[in-house]
Amino acid sequence: MYEEPYRWVEAVGNRRQYLDEQFKQGSPVVALTYEGGILLTTVSKGTAKLYEIYDRLALGGMGHPTDLEKLRFSLLEMAHVEGFNRSPSDVTGSRLVKYGIAPVIKQAFEEVYKAPFIVRILVAELGVKPEKDALLTINYDGTFEESIGCAVLAATPAAQTKMTAYLKEQTPATLSLEQALDLALRAWAIGSLAHQQEETDQQAESEPSAGKVSAVSAPVPSAEVLMAHVRGIAGGRTLDCAVLERQVPGTSKYRSLKPSDLAPLLPKSLQSVVAN
Amino acid sequence: MGMQGDFLQLLKEQGYTLGTAASLGNSHTPTNATTILAFKYRDGVLVAGDRRATAGNMVMYDRTDKVLEIDRHSVMAIAGVPATAYEMVRVLEHSFKYYRRTQLQELSFDGKLRAISKLLKDNVPAALAGTGAVVPVFAGYDLEQGSAKIYFYDILGAEFEGVEYAVSGSGSPTIRGILHYLNTWGDQPLNRLPEEQAMVQALRLLTSAAEFDSATGGVNREASLYPVIKLITGAGVQTVPDATLKPLYESQVVRYV
């Protein structure tokens, strides 16, 4: 029945709805450039969501772990084969995304008889010079976006817009790693809160007598409120942070930050999160 | 294949082969790189190599780097045909990284040794045909056990552990004897030498090899040409700069008789 064009459009529409549902439990991912490179941050429930792809490439993801693994492996495979056959400087995030995985994700999304990839992906690429740093995000339908300075993944487009707006508003010219981590966590909290708010709004719509403040018009909470939210959620989960560092010796620039690396960087109110 | 994190297998699936058994024409003499050594000293392991590459009795190049860093904690020094050796190092470098990134853990030290054996085994046809014989020394710091280790290989891929030291290349017979003598009857065994003394010994050993082997390049002060010396400790691989080697050479290696 999907052969008819109308049916196909309808099926793809259903698919979007289904996929949007799948990200509801997901934790946002924030990528931010700072003076020494690029910082990636998220909060995970045990399984890491930040990965090393190549010498200067890192990956962050949301969605189904198995789908994410599948795409991670194809990125790793493409990057290493290209890096070996040509040279490591020919492995670029934009080529891997645009000609590598984005077409695969799009095809899976549009073949309505088959399962789509339940993923949103962020690829961070550390340039030789800071102005060459690049951030790419890919949605579950294969659309990709390139951005400079910061990029985020979130459960809904609305949450994503809020996070990006907050980051753009706060970003001074250059950040130290400590400042970047602080800002990234606040942006993460914005995404996470916006998402909670949307959930309650939806419930409220079904109940006739409900609160009046909607997710869209709610004012941006203060830094203290945001940090309290991070503390509340990260307590039972793992704070995941990774950096791509320009000045580090050797070819591999990726480093995952261990609790002992994070402790001195975090604001005092969050120290307890990494301590346990 | 990604599941196993085997990069060489991935390359092979795409049609890659390492050594081909092309037989050597009469008119061609393959390039060779010679004299490498590794020994354990107080803080880890020292790996050194002269810088000459020869083809028959012709000097091809006097600034070859035969001591190649594979990752933060391991080094492969090569004697034999550089074309094959460099290719092997490239494969190994990518293999270890690919393993680490796919499996989210480092390849074990034993796993790394096995990877080298496998490459040498794949290369046997080329080695026997005379176009691609490589005799490497692999040295590294095993972080799990907290100790430095040295291994050497024959061209067929057999792996031998060099407990205190290992040598390879055309100049190696000369220095193998010296190493044995030093380690047994020297003031102190090699593995107790402090860093500076270890570097002095390495310079003296390579100078001796150059004395008796024309294919080994010694130190050429006029051209500020010093051997490559790398130190591997728990903190990683460190290349000794020429600026450090120069005064050591002038004060403790040169003798005006």
Side-chain angles (χ1 to χ4, degrees), chain A residues 4-270:
Chain A
E4 298 167 48
Y6 168 71
R7 295 283 190 187
W8 185 80
V9 169
E10 193 182 62
V12 167
N14 289 342
R15 205 161 243 241
R16 267 183 207 285
Q17 225 171 14
Y18 160 75
L19 282 163
D20 282 334
E21 282 289 308
Q22 302 300 310
F23 292 98
K24 287 202 163 163
Q25 299 301 317
S27 157
V29 178
V30 183
L32 200 58
T33 54
Y34 69 99
E35 59 180 359
I38 304 175
L39 167 76
L40 285 94
T41 310
T42 186
V43 175
S44 70
K45 285 185 218 152
T47 29
K49 294 275 187 181
L50 303 177
Y51 302 97
E52 179 181 19
I53 294 298
Y54 201 65
D55 293 357
R56 293 173 161 275
L57 291 174
L59 171 77
M62 276 184 89
H64 199 291
T66 313
D67 284 345
L68 188 59
E69 279 295 281
K70 229 188 244 174
L71 292 168
R72 183 173 78 91
F73 268 102
S74 40
L75 280 171
L76 281 164
E77 221 178 273
M78 285 187 283
H80 285 78
V81 169
E82 176 73 2
F84 178 81
N85 284 335
R86 291 216 170 87
S87 87
S89 28
D90 293 298
V91 180
T92 62
S94 117
R95 285 181 65 214
L96 288 177
V97 166
K98 290 181 192 164
Y99 318 133
I101 59 167
V104 177
I105 296 176
K106 180 173 189 292
Q107 195 178 2
F109 175 71
E110 287 177 346
E111 280 180 6
V112 288
Y113 289 113
K114 290 183 190 163
F117 288 106
I118 308 173
V119 283
R120 287 202 169 108
I121 281 180
L122 189 153
V123 174
E125 179 178 23
L126 183 75
V128 181
K129 289 179 188 159
E131 55 268 32
K132 292 279 182 191
D133 288 349
L135 298 163
L136 289 122
T137 50
I138 317 164
N139 201 1
Y140 56 69
D141 59 2
T143 44
F144 52 81
E145 253 175 73
E146 285 180 85
S147 36
I148 295 165
C150 61
V152 298
L153 298 178
T156 61
Q160 193 163 332
T161 316
K162 274 190 158 186
M163 289 168 74
T164 321
Y166 185 77
L167 284 168
K168 288 254 148 81
E169 205 175 285
Q170 309 277 322
T171 316
T174 46
L175 292 164
S176 69
L177 181 55
E178 206 175 334
Q179 290 168 323
L181 184 60
D182 183 47
L183 178 55
L185 287 172
R186 276 183 278 140
W188 182 87
I190 295 230
S192 172
L193 279 170
H195 188 222
Q196 277 185 358
Q197 184 70 43
E198 281 167 40
E199 292 274 270
T200 43
D201 282 359
Q202 265 182 8
Q203 280 168 12
E205 271 167 37
S206 51
E207 293 161 24
S209 59
K212 294 282 172 282
V213 190
S214 81
V216 190
S217 58
V220 175
S222 68
E224 289 75 34
V225 174
L226 293 173
M227 279 312 186
H229 178 74
V230 175
R231 191 164 59 244
I233 291 202
R237 304 188 189 176
T238 320
L239 182 57
D240 251 350
C241 294
V243 281
L244 287 165
E245 297 169 297
R246 217 180 314 281
Q247 300 303 339
V248 90
T251 49
S252 298
K253 305 294 187 191
Y254 180 91
R255 182 164 67 97
S256 165
L257 298 179
K258 292 189 282 289
S260 57
D261 302 322
L262 278 173
L265 294 169
L266 283 170
K268 276 214 178 66
S269 63
L270 277 176

Side-chain angles (χ1 to χ4, degrees), chain A residues 48 50-56 69 72-73 76-77 79-88 249-253, chain B residues 1-5 7 10-11 13-14 16 69 72 87 90-95 97-104:
Chain A
L50 303 177
Y51 302 97
E52 179 181 19
I53 294 298
Y54 201 65
D55 293 357
R56 293 173 161 275
E69 279 295 281
R72 183 173 78 91
F73 268 102
L76 281 164
E77 221 178 273
H80 285 78
V81 169
E82 176 73 2
F84 178 81
N85 284 335
R86 291 216 170 87
S87 87
T251 49
S252 298
K253 305 294 187 191
Chain B
M1 266 309 124
M3 244 273 304
Q4 296 165 10
F7 182 67
L10 181 66
L11 283 182
E13 277 164 25
Q14 306 207 346
Y16 175 84
E69 228 170 295
R72 288 293 300 134
E87 182 84 353
R90 262 160 48 77
V91 172
L92 288 172
E93 201 184 336
H94 267 82
S95 298
K97 280 183 185 173
Y98 184 72
Y99 183 90
R100 184 185 74 222
R101 290 165 182 163
T102 54
Q103 311 299 304
L104 305 176

Side-chain angles (χ1 to χ4, degrees), chain B residues 63-132:
Chain B
R63 290 184 185 273
T64 323
D65 188 355
K66 303 172 194 175
V67 186
L68 306 164
E69 228 170 295
I70 296 180
D71 60 20
R72 288 293 300 134
H73 291 96
S74 53
V75 149
M76 191 164 110
I78 50 156
V81 176
T84 317
Y86 288 151
E87 182 84 353
M88 280 183 182
V89 167
R90 262 160 48 77
V91 172
L92 288 172
E93 201 184 336
H94 267 82
S95 298
F96 297 173
K97 280 183 185 173
Y98 184 72
Y99 183 90
R100 184 185 74 222
R101 290 165 182 163
T102 54
Q103 311 299 304
L104 305 176
Q105 64 180 57
E106 281 288 338
L107 183 58
S108 69
F109 198 82
D110 290 339
K112 290 178 183 175
L113 292 174
R114 188 72 200 108
I116 301 171
S117 281
K118 259 162 75 183
L119 275 184
L120 287 167
K121 206 177 112 217
D122 283 355
N123 188 49
V124 166
L128 294 181
T131 45

